[in-house]
């Protein structure tokens, strides 16, 4: 594990805040939420109140009470043991490697819709593979440089979402709203929203990511809670504003997960040379936000994997870092290899870009949600077993309030996992469940093998050390 001050303090309060917003605020989540229709606004409000805010409070307390490099890995390790921490780190890390292909399929779909309408699925997959390796490169350079990718990306997200929201509302006021955004219409469509409810939950996660780089943050006990609370509120406001804008311009039934942003931009700005140019510009900025999001997540996930490898709980290759600036080279390269392979494998199985996107997204999302269950269980455990530890930020309401908030988050996370594969009242899609469920089980099995392999290696090293000492 990294020792205190083993990393250069490079992240300022502004960096931490912008980085956290970049992790939570995802432009593609607005597109997916818009597919729900008017009910999306209702679900955003519900999940913000019942999950985003409570989850942010829990994460802020953990991040300030345990400001250790590795984030979730360190919290689970302190609460339970290194084996469980390694399992969770594997899930956290491999989710990003599985999620990245889904994001870059959306990238390629938007690119094709805006710039190359005849682009084939395999050409889109080729573009996605190239982006995977560009993201790998961004992880292998100094954090002083790579941090600017999410920093610029956050400002770009603001510009894109403000444009989508503002232009969409303006379009609705002048040409009529494409969807009925009244409260009554939203309430009439609540059952349909269950299909996409886990997507909304998914869009509220990532607050904790900056804690994976705690040792590189200047004054983490002060800057972490401010960044997390501020980022949560900013992301909530932008999510709602952007979703309203998309629904104002595009009928919900016309929403396609992959190219909805391109469709919305053409609807808002198309029809003239200037409008078409504006659509292409905003579209290009939206594409950059997808890239910056993946850089943000890989920077955090790969550093968590390094901590597990340093503790000898994962193979040493995960812990291969640059000797000078500590960039997670081993984890980054492995991410690139897995993401590229998954893109090609799923390309052989999917009939369309949207089908490929949704299968990849559901598969990775379930893996992604599991570490958050462990995080909240770790929070509950540490609140009892380490009650005297100083907590610069503490959830209001004492132990009862903290437990109630964390248990609420655990309930919502569990519901989201179920809803990713089956919605009550809908017929079971056995092929989809088999693909997603089988992938999840295989992923967990691989993680268990790696954890036990790491433990065996560590035990062998201890035996070798004892034999050398006795000799």
């Amino acid at each position: 594990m990294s020792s205190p001050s083993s990393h250069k303090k490079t992240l300022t309060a502004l960096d931490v805040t912008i980085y956290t917003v970049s992790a939570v605020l995802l432009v593609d989540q607005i597109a997916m939420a818009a597919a729900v229709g008017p009910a999306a606004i209702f679900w955003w409000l519900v999940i913000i109140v019942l999950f985003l805010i409570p989850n942010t409070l829990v994460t802020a307390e953990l991040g300030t009470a345990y400001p250790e490099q590795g984030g979730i890995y360190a919290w689970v390790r302190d609460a339970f043991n290194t084996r469980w921490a390694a399992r969770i780190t594997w899930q956290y890390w491999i989710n990003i490697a599985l999620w990245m292909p889904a994001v870059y399929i959306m990238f390629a779909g938007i690119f094709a819709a805006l710039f190359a309408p005849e682009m084939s699925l395999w050409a889109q997959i080729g573009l996605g593979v190239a982006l995977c390796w560009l993201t790998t490169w961004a992880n292998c350079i100094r954090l002083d440089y790579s941090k600017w990718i999410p920093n610029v990306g956050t400002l770009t997200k603001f510009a894109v979402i403000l444009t989508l929201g503002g232009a969409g509302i303006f379009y609705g006021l002048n040409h009529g709203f494409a969807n009925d955004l009244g409260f009554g219409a939203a309430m009439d469509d609540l059952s349909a929203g269950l299909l996409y409810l886990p997507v909304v939950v998914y869009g509220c996660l990532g607050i904790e990511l900056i804690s994976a780089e705690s040792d590189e943050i200047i004054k983490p006990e002060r800057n972490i809670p401010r960044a997390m609370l501020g980022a949560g509120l900013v992301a909530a406001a932008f999510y709602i504003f952007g979703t309203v804008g998309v629904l104002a311009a595009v009928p919900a039934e016309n929403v396609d997960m992959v190219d909805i942003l391109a469709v919305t931009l053409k609807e808002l700005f198309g029809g003239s040379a200037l409008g078409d140019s504006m659509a292409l510009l905003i579209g290009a900025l939206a594409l950059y936000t997808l890239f910056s999001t993946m850089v943000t997540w890989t920077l955090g996930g790969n550093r968590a994997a390094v901590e597990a490898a340093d503790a000898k709980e994962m193979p040493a290759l995960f812990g291969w870092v640059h000797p000078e600036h500590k960039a997670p080279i081993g984890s980054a390269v492995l991410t690139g290899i897995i993401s590229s392979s998954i893109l090609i494998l799923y390309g052989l199985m999917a009939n369309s870009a949207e089908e490929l996107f949704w299968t990849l997204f559901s598969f990775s999302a379930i893996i992604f949600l599991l570490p958050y269950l462990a995080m909240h269980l770790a929070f509950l455990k540490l609140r009892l077993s380490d009650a005297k530890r100083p907590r610069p930020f503490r959830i209001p309401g004492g132990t009862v309030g903290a437990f109630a908030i964390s248990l609420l988050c655990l309930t919502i996370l569990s519901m989201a996992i179920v809803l990713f594969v089956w919605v009550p009242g809908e017929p079971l899609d056995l092929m989809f469940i088999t693909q997603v469920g089988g992938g999840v089980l295989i992923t967990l099995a691989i993680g268990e093998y790696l954890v036990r392999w790491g433990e065996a290696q560590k035990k062998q090293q201890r035996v070798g050390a004892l034999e050398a000492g006795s000799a």
Side-chain angles (χ1 to χ4, degrees), residues 126-411:
L127 177 58
V129 170
L131 289 165
C132 288
W133 287 103
L134 183 60
T135 304
T136 298
W137 168 82
N139 275 256
C140 295
I141 62 177
R142 297 173 63 93
L143 187 60
D144 310 57
Y145 305 141
S146 60
K147 73 178 186 180
W148 287 103
I149 296 175
N151 284 0
V152 174
T154 300
L155 299 178
T156 306
K157 289 177 183 181
F158 290 163
V160 171
I161 296 173
L162 286 173
T163 301
L164 283 174
I169 293 172
F170 180 80
Y171 177 94
L173 293 173
N174 286 274
H175 301 280
F177 287 86
N179 298 278
D180 183 355
L181 299 181
F183 184 73
M187 297 301 292
D188 290 340
D189 200 27
L190 289 183
S191 59
L194 284 175
L195 178 63
Y196 295 100
L197 179 60
V199 173
V200 178
V201 174
Y202 189 94
C204 293
L205 297 170
I207 290 288
E208 81 299 329
L209 190 64
I210 190 62
S211 293
E213 301 169 53
S214 290
D215 198 36
E216 297 166 83
I217 299 174
I218 300 170
K219 296 182 179 180
E221 70 282 351
R222 182 192 67 184
N223 292 330
I224 285 178
R226 292 180 179 179
M228 288 180 177
L229 295 172
L233 295 175
V234 169
F238 273 80
Y239 271 140
I240 293 174
F241 186 68
T243 303
V244 169
V246 172
L247 289 173
V250 181
E253 60 271 17
N254 293 344
V255 169
D256 179 281
M257 291 293 185
V258 173
D259 61 10
I260 176 59
L261 293 177
V263 172
T264 303
L265 291 169
K266 289 180 178 179
E267 187 71 30
L268 291 174
F269 301 109
S272 67
L274 179 61
D276 290 342
S277 298
M278 184 67 175
L280 294 178
L281 174 61
I282 300 299
L285 293 176
L287 292 176
Y288 177 76
T289 69
L290 299 180
F291 171 68
S292 70
T293 292
M294 290 319 308
V295 171
T296 302
W297 277 92
T298 51
L299 285 174
N302 288 334
R303 279 166 167 75
V306 168
E307 293 304 301
D310 284 351
K312 312 300 182 186
E313 295 294 340
M314 290 184 72
L317 182 56
F318 285 88
W320 174 31
V321 299
H322 190 280
E324 179 184 351
H325 53 73
K326 308 297 182 183
I329 296 175
S331 297
V333 171
L334 287 171
T335 301
I337 292 172
I338 292 174
S339 297
S340 301
S341 301
I342 292 294
L343 262 174
I344 295 171
L345 175 62
Y346 271 89
L348 298 171
M349 301 168 60
N351 296 322
S352 68
E354 183 174 2
E355 180 181 341
L356 171 60
F357 170 81
W358 189 248
T359 303
L360 280 170
F361 180 79
S362 298
F363 177 24
S364 65
I366 292 174
I367 298 293
F368 178 51
L369 292 174
L370 296 177
Y372 290 94
L373 295 174
M375 184 188 83
H376 281 278
L377 292 173
F379 171 76
L380 297 174
K381 171 73 161 47
L382 291 170
R383 263 292 189 132
L384 294 176
S385 63
D386 198 17
K388 295 183 179 180
R389 185 180 184 92
R391 286 171 165 77
F393 175 84
R394 184 181 289 268
I395 293 175
T399 301
V400 173
F403 270 60
I405 283 176
S406 190
L407 290 172
L408 175 62
C409 292
L410 283 167
T411 301

Side-chain angles (χ1 to χ4, degrees), residues 82-104:
T82 53
R83 174 184 285 189
W84 275 108
R87 287 174 178 144
I88 295 307
T89 300
W90 162 255
Q91 294 165 16
Y92 200 67
W93 177 83
I94 193 62
N95 151 75
I96 297 170
L98 297 172
W99 176 38
M100 186 153 62
V103 173
Y104 285 150

